[in-house]
Amino acid sequence: MSQRDLVDLRDALRAFAAARDWDSYHTPKNLVMALSAEVGELTDLFQWLTAEEARDAMKDPDLAWNVRDELADVMHYLTRLADKLDVDLVEAAFAKIERNERRFPTGSLVPVPLEKSTGNGEG
């Protein structure tokens, strides 16, 4: 993993968009749509691979380059979206892990139902 963090990436993406006067186009709706399109491009790389071929994807230099490129696009749009919505991705991800730990306790294959989130970080 890189020593650079999401703050560095967020700041670089802000600067990149500002330098091109793209900020007005980076609305949450547009960013979600772009994110979805990039996830689709990543999906396309794996669509017809067997499970074994998918596991070995990074051994194929051409496929590996494309996978890295599409993952970067997904990361860029996700980071930009979170920035526009003022969501701390790292905190949100760890909060989700905590909820999943309660929902999927070790030794159990059956999920424990959780109440829907109220949007305030609870549930």
Side-chain angles (χ1 to χ4, degrees):
M1 288 278 186
S2 173
Q3 293 301 314
R4 293 187 272 184
D5 62 21
L6 280 176
V7 172
D8 295 330
L9 179 59
R10 181 207 61 204
D11 292 348
L13 291 168
R14 280 180 181 174
F16 185 88
R20 289 154 182 81
D21 201 24
W22 288 355
D23 204 53
S24 64
Y25 302 107
H26 286 185
T27 64
K29 178 190 83 72
N30 289 349
L31 291 167
V32 148
M33 290 172 61
L35 175 60
S36 177
E38 295 301 338
V39 168
E41 290 181 23
L42 181 61
T43 301
D44 188 52
L45 297 175
F46 288 89
Q47 183 173 7
W48 302 113
L49 299 181
T50 65
E52 183 177 343
E53 289 169 332
R55 275 191 303 274
D56 293 339
M58 301 311 285
K59 294 178 183 176
D60 176 328
D62 291 332
L63 181 56
W65 189 92
N66 285 310
V67 167
R68 282 188 196 93
D69 200 53
E70 296 306 334
L71 284 171
D73 286 339
V74 167
M75 185 71 167
H76 288 173
Y77 282 116
L78 180 62
T79 301
R80 193 79 174 118
L81 176 63
D83 185 25
K84 288 293 191 167
L85 295 174
D86 198 28
V87 171
D88 182 322
L89 277 176
V90 173
E91 289 302 317
F94 278 106
K96 184 67 175 192
I97 290 171
E98 290 172 12
R99 286 191 305 277
N100 283 343
E101 295 230 349
R102 290 190 307 274
R103 186 169 179 215
F104 302 101
T106 57
S108 173
L109 295 177
V110 179
V112 175
L114 292 179
E115 291 184 30
K116 285 253 183 197
S117 173
T118 59
N120 63 2
E122 300 292 321

